[in-house]
Amino acid sequence: GSREAAAGAWPRAPLAPGEAIAAPSGAFERDPQESSTTDEELSRAGGRSTTPDYGERRLPQALIIGVKKGGTRALLEAIRAHPDVRAVGTEPHFFDRNYEKGLQWYRSVMPKTLEGQITMEKTPSYFVTNEAPKRIHSMAKDTKLIVVVRNPVTRAISDYTQTLSKKPEIPTFEVLAFKNRTLGLIDASWSAIRIGIYALHLENWLQYFPLSQILFVSGERLITDPAGEMAKVQDFLGLKRIVTEKHFYFNKTKGFPCLKKPEDSSAPRCLGKSKGRTHPKIDPDVIHRLRKFYKPFNVMFYQMTGQDFQWEQEEGDQ
């Protein structure tokens, strides 16, 4: 009926790319939601260019590969506070959308680094891209991979909320989430739901990379204990633990930790306006049904990674 018609407009694949922006070295996509206010202020102020750009562009040795709406922007901004890390602010989407442009193009969009600095980028759609593991492995089989994971139910709602902000005309979450509402059959082909089946996607990566080269960061803990999660990230990357408690303060208004500017008193770096959107109210029965759907996949994911992310805790405010 009308559900099929309404859902027909909905992509059953990863969501459409954001607007393309022109970069000096070639255009690559930037999700308009993904810019941090401070980023824009810095570029307007020419903050970047006041520091001479020494060094050379190198292919990244570490990638934040996922997941969408997991907390990848927060992680990227926090790790960029480390003096030995240089990262691309925008998402290059090389291993999914721009692979034909070749490694030279990819290198050209990287920042210049000095000896001993790590080059990084984040593109959350890599985690769910079938060809990505093979392509990254063929660039450098020792690439370190970071995946920020979050309770798949809240992740799906967050994903829906982001799309809703761009396309207010889309059907309700409930309509999109079910193949058959009466039977309670979840539509696992809808990208908002499919992305959260982490065990399924991870299997693909483990054909090319050992678990020792993949770090799983808890999106929840990134908010409740940013310094603790950042300690693990820095250890994993072989960096001194420079980003610590001192770098964060909790912003009550946003509900997120923000980065202080250490040493100088300039403005703190908080995530932009598009972050921390209020989620629409979803029928508790739908939430319950989704929890039930994800549980076996979550359990499998915990077994595969050897980490319990505690998404199966009591029917609390997850």
Side-chain angles (χ1 to χ4, degrees):
S2 61
R3 182 204 179 274
E4 282 70 25
W10 190 278
R12 294 275 145 182
L15 294 170
E19 278 84 49
I21 58 152
S25 38
F28 52 98
E29 274 86 28
R30 174 172 205 155
D31 184 330
Q33 306 296 347
E34 280 291 272
S35 63
S36 160
T37 22
T38 9
D39 250 353
E40 288 146 29
E41 283 151 21
L42 279 170
S43 54
R44 268 204 301 278
R48 294 272 190 277
S49 51
T50 54
T51 324
D53 238 349
Y54 297 116
E56 53 176 282
R57 301 182 196 282
R58 296 178 176 88
L59 291 169
Q61 301 92 326
L63 301 171
I64 298 171
I65 59 170
V67 297
K68 185 182 181 199
K69 309 316 294 175
T72 61
R73 173 58 58 184
L75 175 63
L76 186 74
E77 295 306 327
I79 199 63
R80 285 171 101 179
H82 198 293
D84 295 334
V85 172
R86 297 283 278 123
V88 191
T90 48
E91 299 177 0
H93 283 280
F94 177 64
F95 297 104
D96 55 351
R97 303 179 197 152
N98 292 309
Y99 197 62
E100 336 65 57
K101 294 187 173 140
L103 284 169
Q104 284 323 108
W105 175 83
Y106 190 42
R107 186 195 298 266
S108 78
V109 304
M110 292 301 144
K112 289 184 176 176
T113 51
L114 301 171
E115 209 54 60
Q117 286 186 313
I118 293 177
T119 303
M120 288 184 72
E121 69 113 321
K122 76 115 174 161
T123 304
S125 46
Y126 291 165
F127 189 61
V128 299
T129 301
N130 283 325
E131 306 76 29
K134 184 185 187 145
R135 289 169 173 179
I136 293 168
H137 186 267
S138 78
M139 169 182 74
K141 63 185 198 314
D142 62 349
T143 305
K144 291 181 176 178
L145 308 170
I146 301 177
V147 193
V148 187
V149 288
R150 174 187 188 183
N151 184 317
V153 178
T154 34
R155 199 223 64 84
I157 298 166
S158 177
D159 201 335
Y160 172 80
T161 307
Q162 177 176 338
T163 306
L164 187 64
S165 74
K166 300 177 194 172
K167 307 183 174 178
E169 73 283 359
I170 60 167
T172 65
F173 181 84
E174 285 86 349
V175 164
L176 293 162
F178 290 103
K179 263 199 174 73
N180 183 317
R181 185 71 178 91
T182 324
L183 297 177
L185 292 178
I186 297 294
D187 187 352
S189 74
W190 179 30
S191 67
I193 285 166
R194 199 187 63 250
I195 291 169
I197 309 175
Y198 304 139
L200 181 79
H201 307 299
L202 179 56
E203 206 171 358
N204 198 17
W205 290 86
L206 294 178
Q207 290 169 25
Y208 292 89
F209 294 95
L211 265 179
S212 58
Q213 259 168 264
I214 312 175
L215 178 71
F216 299 94
V217 172
S218 160
E220 285 84 13
R221 283 200 301 266
L222 202 50
I223 294 168
T224 58
D225 178 22
E229 285 300 284
M230 290 313 295
K232 296 177 201 170
V233 173
Q234 292 167 97
D235 291 353
F236 174 71
L237 295 173
L239 296 165
K240 288 202 212 80
R241 290 189 180 181
I242 290 174
V243 181
T244 61
E245 289 78 12
K246 302 187 212 36
H247 281 73
F248 299 98
Y249 72 94
F250 197 79
N251 180 315
K252 309 258 182 333
T253 321
K254 279 200 87 61
F256 287 134
C258 292
L259 280 163
K260 290 182 199 156
K261 269 279 184 239
E263 283 89 58
D264 82 68
S265 55
S266 64
R269 288 186 61 71
C270 286
L271 295 179
K273 294 184 263 310
S274 71
K275 301 298 174 182
R277 293 192 189 91
T278 314
H279 292 182
K281 278 272 163 282
I282 312 285
D283 180 343
D285 172 61
V286 173
I287 304 282
H288 177 75
R289 188 65 205 84
L290 267 181
R291 283 222 186 96
K292 227 173 94 172
F293 168 81
Y294 278 121
K295 184 172 181 166
F297 299 113
N298 289 346
V299 170
M300 200 181 315
F301 182 64
Y302 300 166
Q303 287 168 343
M304 291 168 82
T305 59
Q307 275 174 265
D308 180 354
F309 289 92
Q310 306 191 320
W311 298 321
E312 307 317 308
Q313 300 318 70
E314 83 304 325
E315 300 279 280
D317 207 340
Q318 275 289 5

